[in-house]
Amino acid sequence: MINITEKFTQNFISDVIDGENCNSVSIISSEKVTYLIKFLNMKNIKEVFIHPFLSKDLNIQSDLYIFIDNGKTDISEIGKVKNLLSQKIVYIQSNNNKSIDKVDLIKLGFEKEFEHGEIDLNFYAYNLKTYNNKRDWNNPKGWANPENFDKFRW
């Protein structure tokens, strides 16, 4: 029987996996994550890697990295994964273990996806595909139009 924290974690990760077509997942956590491994097996994930911490020589590329904050994670480790190893990252943070400030996560491009006060968890996600949406004004049309030179002046 899973508890409410595990259920919320599974639901959130399920949404990410279903929306992104993930085949490989890496989990960084020193906590017991057997419930998550069983869940990922049911989702037909082909490869699951589990590490208690992120070592300097780790170079496993995965479709999704899941960090479960245990108070020992460093922001530079998450930056390494973001820049080199994965385009999708989920960071699950308990309000009791705030080793990384939410401002630092937002600086790295993470978005706070979900917060649940009863279970004391915050879910952050980074996805390279949705990080920098194409803006309508950022295109060559309208930047150097000679017909507008005499109409609009600052």
Side-chain angles (χ1 to χ4, degrees):
M1 185 75 185
I2 63 173
N3 64 33
I4 192 166
T5 302
E6 294 169 354
K7 183 176 174 114
F8 273 100
T9 302
Q10 286 179 358
N11 287 341
F12 182 77
I13 291 173
S14 176
D15 289 344
V16 172
I17 290 172
D18 292 344
E20 295 298 328
N21 193 19
C22 297
N23 292 318
S24 61
V25 175
S26 290
I27 302 170
I28 309 294
S29 176
S30 61
E31 298 177 5
K32 184 178 171 186
V33 290
T34 53
Y35 72 94
L36 198 52
I37 295 165
K38 290 177 185 175
F39 171 74
L40 292 172
N41 282 335
M42 292 186 323
K43 291 299 243 179
N44 295 323
I45 300 296
K46 294 177 183 165
E47 296 178 315
V48 177
F49 305 99
I50 305 163
H51 309 281
F53 57 90
L54 194 66
S55 64
K56 294 185 190 305
D57 58 345
L58 180 70
N59 60 359
I60 298 172
Q61 292 189 347
S62 293
D63 294 330
L64 174 66
Y65 261 79
I66 301 170
F67 283 87
I68 300 176
D69 187 10
N70 54 10
K72 298 176 185 172
T73 307
D74 186 44
I75 194 71
S76 63
E77 296 170 347
I78 294 176
K80 174 187 175 184
V81 170
K82 176 183 153 294
N83 293 334
L84 302 174
L85 302 176
S86 184
Q87 295 184 1
K88 293 174 268 315
I89 304 169
V90 170
Y91 184 78
I92 302 168
Q93 181 182 54
S94 168
N95 288 333
N96 299 332
N97 286 337
K98 287 196 171 182
S99 63
I100 296 178
D101 189 31
K102 70 177 183 178
V103 174
D104 290 332
L105 288 169
I106 293 183
K107 286 179 187 177
L108 282 177
F110 281 78
E111 293 181 5
K112 189 174 192 176
E113 298 288 339
F114 185 71
E115 177 179 0
H116 198 286
E118 288 179 30
I119 60 171
D120 212 24
L121 281 181
N122 299 317
F123 294 86
Y124 294 88
Y126 172 82
N127 188 341
L128 184 61
K129 285 195 280 185
T130 60
Y131 167 67
N132 195 4
N133 292 328
K134 190 171 184 174
R135 291 168 296 283
D136 198 28
W137 59 267
N138 195 12
N139 60 49
K141 181 183 175 194
W143 280 68
N145 293 328
E147 65 271 7
N148 290 334
F149 283 169
D150 292 326
K151 293 180 184 176
F152 305 106
R153 296 282 179 199
W154 288 264

